[in-house]
Amino acid sequence: MAALREPVIVLVGGPWDRQAFYVTDWEDRRQAAQRMGRTADELCGCALAYAPDAPGSLRWSWTAGENWPMNAAARNAA
């Protein structure tokens, strides 16, 4: 459970545009996607397609582009 007054990450762009997460919750979500072998190209791995605007930033921007998620054939061809 997140601590009171914990910093909040705000997402910009992508499917979770303008969503806010506590830092620890966001880190848990990203680590879970990695543990399950998800990639940024998959719907279940979209948390991996966000990156901080600068090191230590609480604003994370969408990096996967507009042709997301890639279908299986496109992923295999890449």
Side-chain angles (χ1 to χ4, degrees), residues 27-78:
E27 290 170 354
D28 289 346
R29 184 177 293 259
R30 289 179 52 84
Q31 289 172 356
Q34 290 173 333
R35 275 194 312 270
M36 291 186 287
R38 303 296 186 202
T39 67
D41 295 331
E42 298 175 290
L43 182 62
C44 296
C46 69
L48 301 174
Y50 285 92
D53 287 351
S57 176
L58 294 178
R59 177 184 157 137
W60 286 54
S61 296
W62 181 248
T63 61
E66 295 188 21
N67 294 326
W68 178 91
M70 292 176 65
N71 61 31
R75 271 196 309 271
N76 292 336

